Amino acid sequence: MLDTPEAVVEALRENHERPHGLPRTVTAEELVEAAEVFEKPDVLVTALLELMTAYEFTGEHRKSPVAFARILKLWDEAPDTFSPWEAHQVFWRFKWVTTSLLQVPEMPLATVHGWIDRMRERYEKAGHGLQPVAAMRFHVAAHTGTGVPDAYDLWATRPRTDLSDCEACETRHHAWHQVRSGDDEAALDQWRPVLDGTQGCSEEPQVSQALALLPLLRTGRLDEARSHHLTGYRKVRGKTGTQEEVGHHLEFCALSRNEGRGLEILAENRPLFEATGAPLAHLGFLTGVEVLLARLTEDGHGDTAVAGPPGRSWTAAALLDHVRAEAGPLADAFDARNGTSTIGDDRRTRLARRPLLDEPLPLGLRTPAAGTAPAAAPAAPAAVRTEIPDDFDALVRTARRMARESHPGDTRLWRRIADRLADGTAPGLGGPLGPEALLRAELAEQRAQDLWTKDSVTESAAALTEAVALYEELGLPWHALSGRARALAWTASAPEGEERPDVRQDLDEVLRAAEDLFAATPFDSEPLGEAEAAYGTDLPLERALSYLSVRYSAVFAAYQDLVGAPGRTAGEPEDGDGADGTDELLRRFEERVTVLHTEAERLGHPHQVANAHQFRADVAARRGDLPAAERSLREALAVLDAAGRPWRRPRPSGLLAQVLLGLDRPQEAAELLHGAIADAVAHDDTSFALAPVHLLLGHASSHTGDVTGAVRHLSEAAARFDQEGASGQATEARLQLADVLTRDGRTADAVAVLESVLAGDAADGTDPRALAQARLSLGRGLRELEEYLPAAEELLRLADTVSGWADEDRGAILTLVAAEAARTLAMAGRWDAAATAYDRAVAAHAEAPNPPLILLMMRDFARLAVAEREAEGVDAALAHLADADEVLAACADDEGFSVWYERGEIHYRRARVLAEAGRFEEALPEAEAAVAAHEEGGEDGELPRAEAVRVAALIEGNGLERFNEAIARLTTAAARCRRAGEPDAAGVLDALRERFLSR
């Protein structure tokens, strides 16, 4: 019942704790009505100020001036009913009214100017400085585009007052003025203290983060843009009071070619289409929507389903028409009110912008499911594309030459040949190019290679079989043998879960056939028919390459047998001849790789020599001999360099980088990986998978301390894996990214990435334990950001998941998660739920003990109980510490944790609880017991011991007024800290000692 002033005040206090939104605003309106009946208006003043706050932060700017008019009337009639804080708010909120009036196009500009004049009169009469008045005149000038330079100078040159906007907000206004003046660099320099967290308030940095996205993109500061989008958007999403900022994030997605991300944001902010209480901010939101939708429709995605105003389904094109029909007249209404074209010009400028990047900026976030948004190609360096001749004869000859050189650029040429054959633009074949069947056989072979790189083993073998049949019909035995050998080898490498046939005998037959063919038809003998004659002087080379291809296939099959042997981990060594015949498999592999190496050197084909080195390196690495693997890979690269074959470098470079990471040489690994990417791009190697390379680069960069590089490459890897449909690997990249961000202290960035990983259907083949770790990290990150309730919800969800596990680790993990959830719920002030989680954690601890974690939970409960539960908190806190004593006593003999530390921390916390309750005589012995316990820790105990001494001295001096004893205690302890090499701790103790001496 709200029938007493006290009841209304209590309800106001409770409502103030709620997040801004419609429920809080409606309740505030109801509480104003309840406060109106009381004779004394003090409660009504408080209620109206609370209502105005609700209007301000939920974007109800049409209503805010009405509430303030009532406040101002009460101020004029009964100023004594206002508390000092409320009196200050009367003058502070004059500024809110000015900005609210600007938000509404029906409000005449003369009224806005009149209101500022009234504000000036009130400020002068009360003796307040006029800088805030100058600020309001500048905001009007910036809004209308009239007299901006003079208004800015009048504001910027005046000294700040206690009624000026906070420093962070003023920094934003200064920086945005620079942006509008065309100087992005100056703006970002001005913004630095807000964007780096030095300045902040309830609106900052999230408002500045949204506004800074455009200048960051324009100046090429892409890593900062990514970070500010991730952290800034989380703080504004779904809030009617920040819809203009949401619009800037939508625009950022369009300009950074992240349209799929933009559609996700649109779906999360659907209610904002109906949030019309702040028309100017609403126009900002609609313009951001329009920029995004225009990009989609221009790129041919007008039929894409998108989220729009509730009540119907929308396509991008339909919603674009709807938004234009609303935003255009709204902008015109502001310009009509202002008598200028500034608002319309700003909107037109935004709509005229085109993407600022050639490729999407990787954000590190999970992309929408297929079909819900247009797929964006992952970012990549601009490839040096192979030149495609127009003349068909030249096209075929060039493709064949590049194929003989094993140059990856031939792929693009073969595809062009296939297109021309399919569309009928290829001339009649025959003559020097050979029969058409030859070309079709070569294309089938190329198609098989493409399928192989996509892990389509069965389909690639089928395409090779087709090629073999054509080669046999053409009388090309060498090519037929090469194709048959590869088909057998590839079939033997079927993915896990599929049957892998034993092809050893068949491959041996192909090898014998190749040897017999060489004896009967040496490489330099005459052509066997028309098809072979088409190769002219290159025929010996063609035959030699086919022969070595057979040898390569034999090695590849032997390698697959070795690394896939049952009961072994990737060919690891074992003593004696295993029952599974692994030693025989190893002997077979080494025999065949030696033959490949020898024959490739004899025939002068360096890329097959390099392949032999790569095979040896791979097996050595799998068997744990990383130095041998490094030597083989460096020999492979040396062979390729000597032969002038840089296009063959990417794969051995990538393998060597993995070996170097295993040898803890991340800087060398990173250099090799950068080189691999550069070589692949320079030589048009579209088959070289860049996603794993970026994943490795992210890993290497994190180990060299290059956090920016790690974030960039892990984000790139995730985007590429998404594009390839490898969702599990994309999740792995994002988990690594979140870990890097967390370790770098960028918790908000990490939380955004983890939310993306866990959003929607996370059943993508990722290890459930990895997802559980992600949820634990998310809960901890949210807690660090002081978003305690969402953090607790994540941890409770994780606890429920862990409860369903059936393995031996379940108990230990449940203990950890339940304790984390209990602490977080207590931090959120949800004491009933916290008590339930507390009991759950204690029960889990009884089954799977984790003393340090349970003791930390109990100490935290004691700390929070005193801080948040007032009178009853002391008894509750002492009860929790008594629980901690029992837990410690029960496991004092256990190994694996520092009993001295836990005992010292319990005494320390009890000393503080008793001191805060004024029970100083009881508190001092506890503090001294903490000092003694930490003494047992030796060097590890120095810092906690110094802190316990500090608290003992505070109790002694401030509580018991025994200043001499406290000073002596601090003097001794500070000297000890200096001897122990802890000068900072000594400085803290010295500062307290000086305070006591001065008294």
Side-chain angles (χ1 to χ4, degrees), residues 915-932:
E916 290 177 41
R919 295 158 62 174
F920 301 114
E921 292 288 358
E922 299 171 73
L924 184 58
E926 290 293 332
E928 291 175 330
V931 173

Side-chain angles (χ1 to χ4, degrees), residues 487-492 500-509 557 561 588 592:
L488 288 168
W490 289 359
T491 302
R500 293 185 179 185
D502 186 346
V503 300
R504 279 174 268 190
Q505 184 174 345
D506 292 338
L507 270 172
D508 286 345
E509 292 179 3
D561 286 343
R588 181 183 178 87
R592 297 205 160 179

Side-chain angles (χ1 to χ4, degrees), residues 736-747 749-751 754 777 781 784:
Q736 287 192 36
L737 172 59
D739 182 61
V740 168
L741 292 167
T742 299
R743 286 189 280 111
D744 192 46
R746 293 160 62 178
T747 305
D749 295 52
V751 163
L754 290 168
S777 299
E784 186 175 334

Side-chain angles (χ1 to χ4, degrees), residues 214 247-256 259 262 266 283-299 320 323-324 327 346-355:
L214 177 62
H248 284 294
H249 283 281
L250 288 168
E251 180 180 16
F252 164 80
C253 291
L255 300 183
S256 65
E259 292 87 352
L266 204 59
L283 176 62
F285 167 70
L286 293 176
T287 304
V289 173
E290 195 172 349
V291 172
L292 173 67
L293 297 177
R295 290 298 319 141
L296 288 171
T297 55
E298 288 172 15
D299 287 345
L320 177 60
V323 170
R324 281 176 174 165
D346 286 348
R347 176 172 173 270
R348 285 183 284 274
T349 297
R350 291 179 67 182
L351 294 176
R353 291 185 183 124
R354 291 296 177 268

Side-chain angles (χ1 to χ4, degrees), residues 639-654:
V639 167
L640 295 172
D641 287 342
R645 298 284 180 91
W647 52 84
R648 301 288 302 180
R649 289 181 54 91
R651 285 162 181 80
S653 294

